[in-house]
Amino acid sequence: MTQDTSADAAPHPQTPFHDLDSYLALGRVGGLVLSPDGTRLVTAVQSLDPGRTGFVSALWEVDPAGERPARRLTRSAKGESSAAFTAAGDLLFTSARPDPDGTPDDDARAALWSLPAGGGEARVVATAPGGLGGICTARDADVVSVTAPVLPSAADLAEDAGLRKTRKDLKVDAVWHTGYPVRHWDHDLGPDADRRFALSLGRLAEGEQAELRQLTGAGRQLDEAGAALSPDGATLVTSWTVDDAGAARRETLVAVDTATGERRTLVDDPDAEVGSPVVSPDGRWVAYVTSTITSPTESPVVRAGLVALDGSGEPQVLADDWDRWPTSLAWLPDSSGLLVTADEDGRGPVFLLTFDGAPGAGSVTVERVTADAATFTDVQVAPDGSASYALRTSYAAPSEPVRVDLAAFVASGAPGEREPVVAVVLPSPAPAPELPGTLTEVETTAEDGSRVRAWLALPAGASAADPAPLLLWIHGGPLNSWNAWSWRWNPWIMVARGYAVLLPDPALSTGYGQEFVQRGWGAWGDKPYTDLLAITDAAEALDEIDASRTAAMGGSFGGYMANWVAGHTDRFRAIVTHASLWALDQFGPTTDHAYYWAREMTPEMAEAHSPHRYVGDIRTPVLVVHGDKDYRVPIGEGLRLWRELLADSGLPAADDGTTVHRFLYFPTENHWVLTPQHAKVWYSGVLAFLAEHVLDVPEGEGDRVLPTTLG
């Protein structure tokens, strides 16, 4: 494939992926909620702010019938998120935008807003000094629950406000810790922690705010908690984190009385973590997701669970013989079953789990509902059960709202014999962009007989006469799958520059059964590595691929694998390793949740599979990318990798310090590199590095083949 590298040769933008500014300007749909009467769908759309330095979200309404175009509901510089409908049909959301009836405050925290069902202006209905979030609403009652971060010594929100003011005035940001962890992903934990509150909105006078009734006290039990209200609003069900030996933590499930705050435990399994609770419409049952606690020799087993809301009987595991891992649960309106999403074969379909009798009394049947080669999220069920709504995504399109005809599925045959249905796309506030190529699939057989498959994004025009260079992209996780659109790791930007991008699911990937995960467990450098090479061989054998021009890249666990690849083969022209694990003995104690890593590998396993041991065998140019605020894979991994590449690799820096390796460092970014202009630098830097080593662009001129130059 020819590539014009002259200084004046800017590619003609044919799709948004040919120009990074156009790509960043694309709207991004996320989240979906359905009104109690089933007539309104609301989603959020993220877009660039006027300065193009950040993203803001606005709420849009989507017609469930698919007849009317989407319409915008909110508009502010601060943006709106976390939409939820009350029993009366009012739309709640959180936003830090100024209250028209209040005093302007540039440091305002997110408040709870209400947009009346009958029309009118949105107004603030509740505030807290540290902001509000975690909205839960009751289906049949005027009860709402929210979270608010509160300083540990504050008895209530009024005292919290005073303590916050004192810390701010004295410029104190120290945090006193009494437990573990102290960090999570990209932020420091503390000094405050979430507490749960309940409120009622039914009789608020104009300008009046609801009283927040505190349900839980001080502590870190609600970190990252999932929660749901019973239909009558009398009970809040929430995950509740408890401490275990060895500075470990584990999620349990509790029920909280929203009138008294009395708490009782529903599920406390010392061998599993439980979360994502949903309460049945009849108010009798709680379904949840349970995941067994791992050991260095046993991978997790993820299942759906069921427990009576009143605490009677023992918790049950549902469909234990179904070899898939549930990712979300939604009840049918008559409480006769659940819609379940799960990864499967590079997709994430919707499944119907029905009880053969009353819930908790017998066996269950699981059937696939959706036929789409796509992944479904945010599933919402119509009040009459005739349809469900969701966001559908794949590597062919970003998230878009769809309707699934459940009535047609049920009518297609007897249980176990029904035909999956194709979802109907609803008018989206952010229609899917045109792609610069095509999406296909590749598969092969590994040495042990396991099937390994991948998505392959091919540039338009790739052929035997004009084959495309290949990029092997390795996903993170490692318990993950390339089955949903990614804005941060988007292959179509590379496809627009002429590359074919291979998105494989090697051992440890989800959606292929328990054994497929287990075959890579505790031995990251074995089956995951050989699977990657096998699927790369299969892709390179295609007529459309130029096997002489290949590169490999990955982030997080994918970065680990990129480092491992670099130390075990020189078949690739370049390696890009983002937020990567390098020295596993160093990574283990310093990652944000070290107790999880201790469950994953013994010290001996970590030593055997640590990429840093093979630095002397690296003879491929490597681009290291890392953000300083990455607490999952601390910056020390990137710093040590960079120094050892230059000093100890098989391709070290010259005596004068010059090197073919590069380090792209982001002082204020985290694990993902999220801000728009930094994302632009990330894509530009990766493209420049690849252009030099894969497209044979002269050294230092890689930016000349980019849609924009690096500053």
Side-chain angles (χ1 to χ4, degrees), residues 283-640:
R284 298 180 57 199
W285 303 96
V286 180
Y288 56 92
V289 175
T290 174
S291 177
T292 59
I293 292 176
T294 62
S295 74
T297 58
E298 295 294 331
S299 57
V301 177
V302 183
R303 295 290 185 262
L306 186 74
V307 66
L309 181 59
D310 64 8
S312 61
E314 293 295 319
Q316 303 176 41
V317 172
L318 301 176
D320 197 21
D321 58 349
W322 182 44
D323 197 15
R324 292 293 179 265
W325 290 3
T327 52
S328 73
L329 309 169
W331 282 95
L332 297 180
D334 61 0
S335 304
S336 64
L338 296 152
L339 291 184
V340 182
T341 59
D343 291 352
E344 182 171 80
D345 204 41
R347 297 142 172 90
V350 177
F351 298 87
L352 175 63
L353 184 155
T354 50
F355 299 100
D356 301 332
S363 60
V364 300
T365 300
V366 181
E367 304 170 88
R368 180 169 174 168
V369 175
T370 55
D372 311 58
T375 292
F376 292 79
T377 66
D378 302 273
V379 176
Q380 308 286 306
V381 186
D384 62 2
S386 64
S388 66
Y389 305 93
L391 296 181
R392 186 186 69 180
T393 179
S394 69
Y395 271 97
S399 291
E400 54 190 353
V402 296
R403 182 179 67 251
V404 177
D405 192 336
L406 292 180
F409 170 75
V410 171
S412 67
E417 301 176 359
R418 295 163 175 157
E419 292 295 326
V421 297
V422 176
V424 176
V425 179
L426 301 175
S428 175
E434 179 186 356
L435 301 179
T438 57
L439 188 67
T440 187
E441 295 185 77
V442 179
E443 64 177 68
T444 191
T445 302
E447 291 181 356
D448 64 357
S450 297
R451 171 177 170 265
V452 180
R453 63 157 299 284
W455 294 108
L456 178 63
L458 285 167
S463 65
D466 194 11
L470 180 69
L471 296 184
L472 166 65
W473 279 32
I474 312 167
H475 69 62
L479 303 179
N480 201 356
S481 171
W482 283 126
N483 65 4
W485 186 275
S486 171
W487 291 102
R488 273 299 304 119
W489 281 73
N490 195 289
W492 298 110
I493 290 177
M494 278 57 184
V495 171
R497 306 308 304 166
Y499 296 95
V501 180
L502 184 66
L503 306 165
D505 283 346
L508 291 173
S509 298
T510 53
Y512 303 91
Q514 193 71 33
E515 178 55 33
F516 197 77
V517 173
Q518 186 63 41
R519 61 192 286 269
W521 192 256
W524 287 7
D526 291 344
K527 294 294 192 299
Y529 170 67
T530 55
D531 283 359
L532 289 171
L533 294 194
I535 196 69
T536 301
D537 288 342
E540 288 181 345
L542 299 175
D543 291 341
E544 299 91 341
I545 302 301
D546 181 352
S548 70
R549 295 188 296 166
T550 64
M553 55 193 295
S556 195
F557 166 77
Y560 161 92
M561 285 307 311
N563 293 337
W564 187 265
V565 166
H568 286 78
T569 180
D570 58 2
R571 68 182 289 174
F572 298 101
R573 287 195 176 195
I575 301 286
V576 178
T577 179
H578 169 95
S580 66
L581 291 70
W582 174 243
L584 297 190
D585 60 337
Q586 169 182 275
F587 165 80
T590 58
T591 184
D592 55 352
H593 294 268
Y595 60 85
Y596 183 87
W597 179 253
R599 299 168 179 165
E600 188 128 343
M601 287 189 188
T602 64
E604 294 76 18
M605 289 176 175
E607 173 67 14
H609 295 277
S610 186
H612 84 283
R613 296 176 59 231
Y614 303 94
V615 64
D617 296 322
I618 295 178
R619 293 176 174 83
T620 304
V622 177
L623 169 60
V624 180
V625 187
H626 222 110
D628 199 87
K629 302 304 181 184
D630 185 349
Y631 298 157
R632 181 57 47 94
V633 183
I635 184 61
E637 295 298 297
L639 295 175
R640 180 170 173 179

Side-chain angles (χ1 to χ4, degrees), residues 84-87 92 112 133-147 196-201 212-213 215-216 225-239 253-262 264 266 276-287 309 329 331 335:
F85 281 102
T86 67
L92 302 180
L112 183 66
I135 305 173
C136 297
T137 58
R139 189 194 65 178
D140 303 324
D142 177 32
V143 179
V144 178
S145 178
V146 293
T147 58
R196 269 283 168 188
F197 295 81
L199 62 141
S200 299
L201 299 174
L212 295 174
R213 306 190 305 276
L215 301 179
T216 61
L229 280 168
S230 60
D232 62 5
T235 307
L236 173 78
V237 180
T238 180
S239 52
L253 208 62
V254 302
V256 182
D257 188 300
T258 57
T260 67
E262 180 182 352
R264 51 190 172 83
L266 293 176
S276 305
V278 287
V279 184
S280 62
D282 63 11
R284 298 180 57 199
W285 303 96
V286 180
L309 181 59
L329 309 169
W331 282 95
S335 304

